[in-house]
Amino acid sequence: MRGEHAGYVYGAALGFLGDLIAADPRRGHPVAAFGRAAAAVERRLWRDHRGYGAAHAVLCAGGAAAGAALLERAVRGSASASLLSLRGGARVALTAATVWAVLGGTSLGREARAVGGALTAGDLDVARERLPHLCGRDPQALDGPQMARAVVESVAENTSDAVVGALVWGALGGVPGLVAFRAVNTLDAMVGHKSPRYRRFGWAAARLDDLAGWPGSRLTAALTVLAGPDRRGALRAWRADGGAHPSPNAGPVEASFAGALGVRLGGRLAYGGRVEDRPVLNGAAPPVAVPDIERAVRLSRRVNVLALVTTVAARAAVGAARAAAARGAGARGTVTAAARGAGARGRVAGSVRRRAAGPV
Protein backbone atom coordinates (compact mmCIF):
# COMPACT_ATOMS: atom_id res chain seq x y z
CA MET A 1 0.00 0.00 0.00
CA ARG A 2 1.34 3.40 -1.00
CA GLY A 3 2.35 5.82 1.73
CA GLU A 4 -0.50 8.28 1.11
CA HIS A 5 -3.12 5.54 1.38
CA ALA A 6 -1.53 4.02 4.47
CA GLY A 7 -1.35 7.47 6.02
CA TYR A 8 -5.06 7.97 5.51
CA VAL A 9 -5.96 4.52 6.87
CA TYR A 10 -3.99 4.98 10.09
CA GLY A 11 -5.01 8.61 10.45
CA ALA A 12 -8.72 7.82 9.99
CA ALA A 13 -8.57 5.10 12.63
CA LEU A 14 -6.81 7.43 15.09
CA GLY A 15 -9.25 10.26 14.39
CA PHE A 16 -12.23 7.96 14.91
CA LEU A 17 -10.72 6.83 18.21
CA GLY A 18 -10.17 10.46 19.16
CA ASP A 19 -13.84 11.22 18.63
CA LEU A 20 -14.77 8.24 20.81
CA ILE A 21 -12.51 9.45 23.61
CA ALA A 22 -12.69 13.23 23.42
CA ALA A 23 -15.89 13.95 21.44
CA ASP A 24 -16.37 17.58 20.40
CA PRO A 25 -14.85 20.35 22.50
CA ARG A 26 -17.24 22.73 24.20
CA ARG A 27 -15.35 25.72 22.81
CA GLY A 28 -12.97 26.39 19.95
CA HIS A 29 -14.24 23.69 17.59
CA PRO A 30 -12.88 24.08 14.03
CA VAL A 31 -16.36 23.58 12.55
CA ALA A 32 -17.66 26.43 14.70
CA ALA A 33 -14.85 28.61 13.38
CA PHE A 34 -15.88 27.74 9.84
CA GLY A 35 -19.47 28.62 10.72
CA ARG A 36 -18.44 32.06 11.94
CA ALA A 37 -16.45 32.67 8.76
CA ALA A 38 -19.37 31.53 6.60
CA ALA A 39 -21.72 33.83 8.52
CA ALA A 40 -19.35 36.76 7.92
CA VAL A 41 -19.32 36.01 4.19
CA GLU A 42 -23.11 35.74 4.24
CA ARG A 43 -23.46 39.20 5.77
CA ARG A 44 -21.61 40.64 2.79
CA LEU A 45 -23.15 38.51 0.05
CA TRP A 46 -26.75 38.00 1.14
CA ARG A 47 -29.38 38.82 -1.43
CA ASP A 48 -32.75 37.19 -1.87
CA HIS A 49 -31.39 35.47 -4.98
CA ARG A 50 -30.19 31.97 -5.84
CA GLY A 51 -27.12 33.23 -7.66
CA TYR A 52 -25.75 34.99 -4.59
CA GLY A 53 -26.50 31.90 -2.53
CA ALA A 54 -24.59 29.75 -5.02
CA ALA A 55 -21.62 32.13 -4.82
CA HIS A 56 -21.75 31.90 -1.03
CA ALA A 57 -21.77 28.09 -1.10
CA VAL A 58 -18.95 27.83 -3.63
CA LEU A 59 -16.80 30.43 -1.91
CA CYS A 60 -17.18 28.93 1.57
CA ALA A 61 -17.07 25.21 0.77
CA GLY A 62 -14.58 25.60 -2.07
CA GLY A 63 -12.33 27.81 -0.01
CA ALA A 64 -12.30 25.35 2.87
CA ALA A 65 -11.51 22.43 0.56
CA ALA A 66 -8.77 24.39 -1.25
CA GLY A 67 -7.15 25.34 2.04
CA ALA A 68 -7.22 21.72 3.17
CA ALA A 69 -5.69 20.61 -0.12
CA LEU A 70 -2.83 23.09 0.23
CA LEU A 71 -2.20 21.97 3.80
CA GLU A 72 -2.24 18.32 2.80
CA ARG A 73 0.19 18.98 -0.05
CA ALA A 74 2.53 20.79 2.32
CA VAL A 75 2.82 17.74 4.59
CA ARG A 76 2.45 14.97 2.02
CA GLY A 77 6.04 14.73 0.87
CA SER A 78 7.10 11.70 -1.10
CA ALA A 79 4.40 9.07 -1.69
CA SER A 80 6.96 6.41 -0.79
CA ALA A 81 7.95 8.02 2.50
CA SER A 82 7.81 5.69 5.49
CA LEU A 83 5.03 6.24 8.00
CA LEU A 84 7.78 6.43 10.62
CA SER A 85 9.41 9.37 8.86
CA LEU A 86 8.68 12.97 9.80
CA ARG A 87 6.58 13.56 6.69
CA GLY A 88 4.77 10.26 7.05
CA GLY A 89 3.95 11.00 10.67
CA ALA A 90 2.74 14.50 9.78
CA ARG A 91 0.43 13.03 7.14
CA VAL A 92 -1.09 10.62 9.67
CA ALA A 93 -1.44 13.39 12.28
CA LEU A 94 -3.15 15.74 9.82
CA THR A 95 -5.63 13.06 8.77
CA ALA A 96 -6.32 12.08 12.38
CA ALA A 97 -6.92 15.68 13.44
CA THR A 98 -9.23 16.31 10.50
CA VAL A 99 -11.24 13.14 11.04
CA TRP A 100 -11.64 14.00 14.72
CA ALA A 101 -12.75 17.54 13.82
CA VAL A 102 -15.39 16.53 11.28
CA LEU A 103 -16.90 13.53 13.09
CA GLY A 104 -19.67 14.05 15.62
CA GLY A 105 -20.81 10.56 16.54
CA THR A 106 -19.91 10.68 20.22
CA SER A 107 -21.49 14.09 20.75
CA LEU A 108 -24.59 12.88 18.92
CA GLY A 109 -24.96 9.95 21.30
CA ARG A 110 -24.25 12.13 24.32
CA GLU A 111 -26.96 14.65 23.45
CA ALA A 112 -29.48 11.94 22.59
CA ARG A 113 -28.88 10.26 25.93
CA ALA A 114 -29.25 13.59 27.74
CA VAL A 115 -32.72 14.08 26.29
CA GLY A 116 -33.56 10.43 26.95
CA GLY A 117 -32.45 10.74 30.56
CA ALA A 118 -34.62 13.81 31.09
CA LEU A 119 -37.62 12.06 29.54
CA THR A 120 -37.05 9.00 31.72
CA ALA A 121 -37.03 11.25 34.79
CA GLY A 122 -40.21 12.95 33.59
CA ASP A 123 -38.49 16.34 33.34
CA LEU A 124 -39.94 17.67 30.10
CA ASP A 125 -38.49 21.15 30.65
CA VAL A 126 -34.91 19.83 30.64
CA ALA A 127 -35.69 17.62 27.65
CA ARG A 128 -37.03 20.63 25.76
CA GLU A 129 -33.95 22.61 26.72
CA ARG A 130 -31.59 19.92 25.34
CA LEU A 131 -33.55 18.96 22.21
CA PRO A 132 -32.32 21.94 20.10
CA HIS A 133 -28.80 20.53 20.46
CA LEU A 134 -29.96 17.69 18.19
CA CYS A 135 -32.46 19.20 15.76
CA GLY A 136 -34.21 22.40 14.76
CA ARG A 137 -37.72 21.41 15.78
CA ASP A 138 -39.77 23.57 18.10
CA PRO A 139 -39.49 21.76 21.46
CA GLN A 140 -42.37 23.69 23.01
CA ALA A 141 -44.76 22.09 20.52
CA LEU A 142 -43.71 18.53 21.45
CA ASP A 143 -44.78 16.24 24.25
CA GLY A 144 -42.63 13.42 25.66
CA PRO A 145 -43.32 10.75 23.00
CA GLN A 146 -42.92 13.31 20.23
CA MET A 147 -39.55 14.36 21.61
CA ALA A 148 -38.48 10.72 21.82
CA ARG A 149 -39.41 10.29 18.18
CA ALA A 150 -37.52 13.46 17.25
CA VAL A 151 -34.41 12.15 19.02
CA VAL A 152 -34.49 8.78 17.23
CA GLU A 153 -35.01 10.47 13.86
CA SER A 154 -32.15 12.88 14.56
CA VAL A 155 -29.84 10.04 15.63
CA ALA A 156 -30.65 8.18 12.42
CA GLU A 157 -30.14 11.16 10.11
CA ASN A 158 -27.01 12.40 11.84
CA THR A 159 -25.41 8.97 11.81
CA SER A 160 -25.09 9.63 8.10
CA ASP A 161 -24.42 13.37 8.23
CA ALA A 162 -22.08 13.45 11.23
CA VAL A 163 -20.09 10.28 10.64
CA VAL A 164 -20.66 7.97 7.69
CA GLY A 165 -20.85 10.62 4.97
CA ALA A 166 -17.64 12.23 6.18
CA LEU A 167 -15.83 8.88 6.20
CA VAL A 168 -17.01 8.16 2.66
CA TRP A 169 -15.71 11.45 1.31
CA GLY A 170 -12.51 11.08 3.31
CA ALA A 171 -11.88 7.73 1.67
CA LEU A 172 -12.55 9.29 -1.74
CA GLY A 173 -10.75 12.60 -1.33
CA GLY A 174 -8.54 12.45 1.74
CA VAL A 175 -8.33 15.52 3.95
CA PRO A 176 -9.89 17.86 1.33
CA GLY A 177 -12.80 15.44 0.95
CA LEU A 178 -13.39 15.39 4.70
CA VAL A 179 -13.28 19.17 4.97
CA ALA A 180 -15.46 19.76 1.90
CA PHE A 181 -18.16 17.41 3.16
CA ARG A 182 -18.29 19.00 6.59
CA ALA A 183 -18.31 22.49 5.07
CA VAL A 184 -21.23 21.63 2.78
CA ASN A 185 -23.14 19.96 5.61
CA THR A 186 -22.57 22.95 7.89
CA LEU A 187 -23.72 25.40 5.23
CA ASP A 188 -26.90 23.39 4.74
CA ALA A 189 -27.60 23.56 8.47
CA MET A 190 -27.01 27.32 8.43
CA VAL A 191 -28.84 28.45 5.29
CA GLY A 192 -30.34 25.39 3.60
CA HIS A 193 -33.83 25.60 5.10
CA LYS A 194 -37.02 27.06 3.66
CA SER A 195 -37.42 30.12 5.82
CA PRO A 196 -38.29 33.41 4.10
CA ARG A 197 -34.67 34.60 4.37
CA TYR A 198 -33.09 31.46 2.95
CA ARG A 199 -35.69 30.03 0.56
CA ARG A 200 -33.69 31.29 -2.42
CA PHE A 201 -30.33 32.18 -0.90
CA GLY A 202 -29.94 28.73 0.69
CA TRP A 203 -31.13 26.75 -2.32
CA ALA A 204 -27.63 26.01 -3.64
CA ALA A 205 -26.31 24.90 -0.25
CA ALA A 206 -29.27 22.55 0.20
CA ARG A 207 -28.88 21.00 -3.26
CA LEU A 208 -25.12 20.64 -2.79
CA ASP A 209 -25.74 18.90 0.53
CA ASP A 210 -28.20 16.52 -1.14
CA LEU A 211 -25.53 15.61 -3.68
CA ALA A 212 -22.73 15.24 -1.13
CA GLY A 213 -24.88 13.20 1.24
CA TRP A 214 -26.14 10.68 -1.30
CA PRO A 215 -23.36 8.04 -1.04
CA GLY A 216 -23.09 8.26 2.74
CA SER A 217 -26.83 7.91 3.27
CA ARG A 218 -27.02 4.78 1.12
CA LEU A 219 -24.05 3.25 2.90
CA THR A 220 -25.64 4.14 6.25
CA ALA A 221 -28.89 2.42 5.28
CA ALA A 222 -27.03 -0.67 4.06
CA LEU A 223 -24.95 -0.91 7.23
CA THR A 224 -28.08 -0.40 9.33
CA VAL A 225 -29.53 -3.47 7.66
CA LEU A 226 -26.37 -5.41 8.59
CA ALA A 227 -26.05 -4.06 12.15
CA GLY A 228 -29.68 -3.75 13.18
CA PRO A 229 -31.54 -6.18 15.45
CA ASP A 230 -34.16 -6.75 12.72
CA ARG A 231 -32.38 -7.01 9.39
CA ARG A 232 -35.41 -8.02 7.37
CA GLY A 233 -37.46 -5.24 8.91
CA ALA A 234 -34.76 -2.68 8.12
CA LEU A 235 -34.50 -3.76 4.50
CA ARG A 236 -38.27 -3.92 4.08
CA ALA A 237 -38.83 -0.44 5.52
CA TRP A 238 -35.98 1.03 3.46
CA ARG A 239 -37.39 -0.37 0.24
CA ALA A 240 -41.01 0.47 1.03
CA ASP A 241 -40.72 3.90 2.67
CA GLY A 242 -37.24 5.33 2.02
CA GLY A 243 -38.36 7.23 -1.06
CA ALA A 244 -41.41 8.77 0.61
CA HIS A 245 -39.43 11.16 2.80
CA PRO A 246 -39.07 14.73 1.46
CA SER A 247 -35.30 14.49 1.94
CA PRO A 248 -33.62 12.17 -0.58
CA ASN A 249 -30.95 11.24 1.96
CA ALA A 250 -32.78 11.26 5.30
CA GLY A 251 -35.47 8.97 3.88
CA PRO A 252 -33.41 5.78 3.41
CA VAL A 253 -31.59 6.28 6.71
CA GLU A 254 -34.65 6.98 8.86
CA ALA A 255 -36.65 4.22 7.20
CA SER A 256 -33.91 1.63 7.74
CA PHE A 257 -33.54 2.71 11.39
CA ALA A 258 -37.30 2.46 11.88
CA GLY A 259 -37.35 -1.06 10.48
CA ALA A 260 -34.26 -2.17 12.36
CA LEU A 261 -35.61 -0.90 15.70
CA GLY A 262 -39.19 -1.96 15.04
CA VAL A 263 -40.65 1.52 15.60
CA ARG A 264 -42.76 3.98 13.63
CA LEU A 265 -41.16 7.24 12.54
CA GLY A 266 -42.39 10.21 10.53
CA GLY A 267 -45.70 12.04 10.74
CA ARG A 268 -46.47 15.53 11.96
CA LEU A 269 -43.70 17.80 13.23
CA ALA A 270 -43.19 21.48 14.02
CA TYR A 271 -40.11 22.91 12.37
CA GLY A 272 -38.96 26.45 11.73
CA GLY A 273 -42.23 28.01 12.81
CA ARG A 274 -44.41 25.80 10.61
CA VAL A 275 -46.15 22.44 10.89
CA GLU A 276 -45.40 19.64 8.41
CA ASP A 277 -47.13 16.33 7.87
CA ARG A 278 -44.45 13.93 6.67
CA PRO A 279 -45.01 10.37 5.44
CA VAL A 280 -45.02 7.67 8.09
CA LEU A 281 -42.07 5.26 7.99
CA ASN A 282 -42.59 1.61 9.00
CA GLY A 283 -46.20 2.44 9.76
CA ALA A 284 -47.22 -0.99 11.06
CA ALA A 285 -44.82 -0.72 14.03
CA PRO A 286 -45.58 0.91 17.41
CA PRO A 287 -44.54 4.52 18.08
CA VAL A 288 -41.18 5.39 19.61
CA ALA A 289 -40.84 4.94 23.36
CA VAL A 290 -38.15 6.51 25.54
CA PRO A 291 -36.07 3.27 25.84
CA ASP A 292 -35.80 3.25 22.04
CA ILE A 293 -33.47 6.25 22.27
CA GLU A 294 -30.75 4.13 23.85
CA ARG A 295 -31.35 1.39 21.28
CA ALA A 296 -30.97 3.94 18.48
CA VAL A 297 -27.71 5.29 19.96
CA ARG A 298 -26.26 1.78 20.17
CA LEU A 299 -27.30 1.01 16.62
CA SER A 300 -25.73 4.26 15.45
CA ARG A 301 -22.46 3.32 17.15
CA ARG A 302 -22.38 -0.08 15.44
CA VAL A 303 -23.07 1.53 12.07
CA ASN A 304 -20.27 4.05 12.65
CA VAL A 305 -17.73 1.33 13.40
CA LEU A 306 -18.77 -0.64 10.32
CA ALA A 307 -18.49 2.52 8.23
CA LEU A 308 -14.93 3.09 9.43
CA VAL A 309 -13.96 -0.50 8.62
CA THR A 310 -15.65 -0.34 5.20
CA THR A 311 -14.14 2.97 4.11
CA VAL A 312 -10.58 2.36 5.28
CA ALA A 313 -10.67 -1.14 3.75
CA ALA A 314 -11.77 0.37 0.45
CA ARG A 315 -9.03 2.99 0.63
CA ALA A 316 -6.42 0.35 1.49
CA ALA A 317 -7.59 -1.87 -1.37
CA VAL A 318 -7.25 0.99 -3.83
CA GLY A 319 -3.76 1.71 -2.52
CA ALA A 320 -2.75 -1.94 -2.82
CA ALA A 321 -4.14 -2.16 -6.36
CA ARG A 322 -2.27 0.95 -7.44
CA ALA A 323 0.94 -0.30 -5.86
CA ALA A 324 0.58 -3.63 -7.65
CA ALA A 325 -0.05 -1.85 -10.94
CA ALA A 326 3.02 0.31 -10.39
CA ARG A 327 5.15 -2.75 -9.65
CA GLY A 328 3.81 -4.46 -12.75
CA ALA A 329 4.56 -1.43 -14.87
CA GLY A 330 8.06 -1.28 -13.40
CA ALA A 331 8.66 -4.96 -14.10
CA ARG A 332 7.46 -4.56 -17.68
CA GLY A 333 9.73 -1.57 -18.07
CA THR A 334 12.69 -3.58 -16.77
CA VAL A 335 11.98 -6.44 -19.18
CA THR A 336 11.61 -4.02 -22.08
CA ALA A 337 14.83 -2.26 -21.19
CA ALA A 338 16.65 -5.61 -20.95
CA ALA A 339 15.31 -6.68 -24.33
CA ARG A 340 16.38 -3.42 -25.89
CA GLY A 341 19.82 -3.80 -24.33
CA ALA A 342 20.14 -7.37 -25.67
CA GLY A 343 19.09 -6.19 -29.12
CA ALA A 344 21.62 -3.40 -29.07
CA ARG A 345 24.37 -5.80 -27.98
CA GLY A 346 23.40 -8.18 -30.80
CA ARG A 347 23.61 -5.39 -33.37
CA VAL A 348 27.04 -4.34 -32.10
CA ALA A 349 28.34 -7.94 -32.21
CA GLY A 350 27.09 -8.39 -35.75
CA SER A 351 28.76 -5.21 -36.85
CA VAL A 352 32.03 -6.35 -35.29
CA ARG A 353 31.86 -9.73 -37.09
CA ARG A 354 31.20 -8.05 -40.43
CA ARG A 355 34.15 -5.72 -39.98
CA ALA A 356 36.41 -8.67 -39.00
CA ALA A 357 35.41 -10.65 -42.07
CA GLY A 358 36.36 -7.77 -44.34
CA PRO A 359 34.90 -7.10 -47.82
CA VAL A 360 33.40 -10.03 -49.74
Side-chain angles (χ1 to χ4, degrees):
M1 184 166 48
R2 290 168 63 89
E4 60 184 285
H5 297 285
Y8 177 82
V9 168
Y10 290 112
L14 288 174
F16 188 92
L17 183 61
D19 179 65
L20 288 178
I21 296 173
D24 294 328
R26 300 292 185 181
R27 296 181 179 180
H29 197 288
V31 175
F34 169 81
R36 290 192 294 270
V41 174
E42 178 194 337
R43 287 193 292 270
R44 291 182 173 272
L45 280 183
W46 188 89
R47 303 288 188 283
D48 190 17
H49 190 277
R50 286 185 175 183
Y52 282 90
H56 175 257
V58 170
L59 181 62
C60 293
L70 290 174
L71 182 59
E72 185 182 52
R73 177 175 294 182
V75 303
R76 180 183 298 168
S78 172
S80 60
S82 169
L83 290 176
L84 299 178
S85 69
L86 180 61
R87 287 179 176 176
R91 185 165 57 242
V92 172
L94 175 63
T95 302
T98 307
V99 169
W100 166 80
V102 304
L103 295 189
T106 300
S107 295
L108 172 64
R110 181 177 61 197
E111 295 299 332
R113 284 172 169 145
V115 178
L119 291 175
T120 300
D123 196 337
L124 297 186
D125 290 337
V126 172
R128 291 191 178 104
E129 181 182 344
R130 298 301 296 262
L131 187 63
H133 294 204
L134 282 171
C135 60
R137 301 181 194 183
D138 180 9
Q140 301 306 319
L142 304 178
D143 59 18
Q146 290 171 328
M147 281 192 279
R149 192 197 92 197
V151 171
V152 172
E153 290 174 351
S154 184
V155 167
E157 183 176 1
N158 284 291
T159 297
S160 176
D161 287 345
V163 181
V164 181
L167 292 174
V168 168
W169 282 103
L172 292 173
V175 169
L178 289 162
V179 171
F181 177 82
R182 180 54 60 226
V184 168
N185 192 250
T186 303
L187 288 175
D188 178 64
M190 293 176 66
V191 305
H193 38 88
K194 296 180 180 179
S195 65
R197 177 178 174 85
Y198 295 121
R199 186 176 300 275
R200 281 180 283 272
F201 184 82
W203 178 87
R207 299 291 78 76
L208 190 58
D209 184 67
D210 287 343
L211 180 63
W214 194 95
S217 66
R218 272 63 187 177
L219 179 60
T220 303
L223 295 178
T224 301
V225 172
L226 293 176
D230 186 352
R231 294 181 178 180
R232 292 183 179 180
L235 182 60
R236 181 174 59 251
W238 177 14
R239 296 175 65 178
D241 301 327
H245 198 284
S247 168
N249 295 328
V253 174
E254 290 186 18
S256 61
F257 260 70
L261 297 172
V263 298
R264 182 172 71 243
L265 298 178
R268 177 164 294 188
L269 57 84
Y271 183 86
R274 65 187 187 278
V275 175
E276 294 184 13
D277 286 307
R278 291 186 176 179
V280 173
L281 309 176
N282 200 34
V288 175
V290 174
D292 294 319
I293 293 176
E294 179 62 28
R295 297 174 62 227
V297 171
R298 291 179 180 178
L299 175 58
S300 174
R301 180 64 58 85
R302 293 195 296 271
V303 170
N304 293 342
V305 172
L306 287 176
L308 174 69
V309 172
T310 301
T311 54
V312 300
R315 177 87 178 204
V318 169
R322 289 182 177 178
R327 288 194 298 270
R332 288 192 297 273
T334 301
V335 171
T336 301
R340 289 175 178 172
R345 288 192 297 272
R347 288 191 296 272
V348 170
S351 175
V352 170
R353 286 195 297 272
R354 286 192 298 271
R355 286 197 298 269
V360 178

